[in-house]
Amino acid sequence: MNTDGISCNLLTGEESVEVEGAQITAATIEMFDSSRSGRCVVIDEAFMIADAERGWAWTRALMEGQAPEIRLICSPATTNLIEQLAEAASLEYETIVHTRLTPLTVAREPWPLEELPSETILVA
């Protein structure tokens, strides 16, 4: 984002990069600071809320986030759990389902990186 002219801080367990004037912070979920929630918090990989070892961090971000808008990004399999949490905490929520524009497929054999079709996204 910084290379595109959008000032953004970075905060992980290993790195802390403060960018002057940045109003956006990209952080690992464990480093989320609810006191600096801003106007919108986006929580990715929210399916991890069900993880026995790390789920506490997603739960804390959801329950302690102080932004007027909190967006959770998750697979459809997680939606029910997150809706139950929101209802138990009396949080207003809206579920928006997005359609995957291209199919998700598993490669049957390794691909040399030089031969990948353009606009390919790899998940490893």
Side-chain angles (χ1 to χ4, degrees):
M1 292 177 74
N2 287 312
T3 58
D4 288 338
I6 302 168
S7 299
C8 182
N9 299 316
L10 175 66
L11 183 59
T12 73
E14 298 171 1
E15 293 182 82
S16 178
V17 179
E18 292 278 333
V19 176
E20 188 176 335
Q23 298 202 9
I24 298 170
T25 298
T28 55
I29 195 72
E30 290 86 357
M31 299 301 292
F32 172 69
D33 181 355
S34 63
S35 68
R36 297 179 63 195
S37 295
R39 293 189 314 248
C40 181
V41 171
V42 178
I43 303 172
D44 195 7
E45 298 182 335
F47 66 89
M48 291 291 292
I49 204 164
D51 184 85
E53 293 182 25
R54 293 183 64 211
W56 63 267
W58 279 264
T59 303
R60 180 180 58 87
L62 174 61
M63 295 302 167
E64 294 179 7
Q66 298 174 22
E69 183 173 354
I70 299 175
R71 293 184 174 239
L72 278 78
I73 302 169
C74 66
S75 65
T78 311
T79 303
N80 188 39
L81 174 59
I82 292 170
E83 288 174 346
Q84 287 178 20
L85 283 170
E87 288 172 10
S90 299
L91 298 173
E92 268 187 52
Y93 69 90
E94 176 184 6
T95 300
I96 300 170
V97 178
H98 297 277
T99 303
R100 183 179 298 279
L101 299 178
T102 57
L104 182 63
T105 59
V106 176
R108 295 176 194 254
E109 57 189 58
W111 281 77
L113 293 178
E114 310 79 43
E115 297 177 19
L116 286 175
S118 66
E119 299 183 9
T120 297
I121 298 172
L122 300 177
V123 179

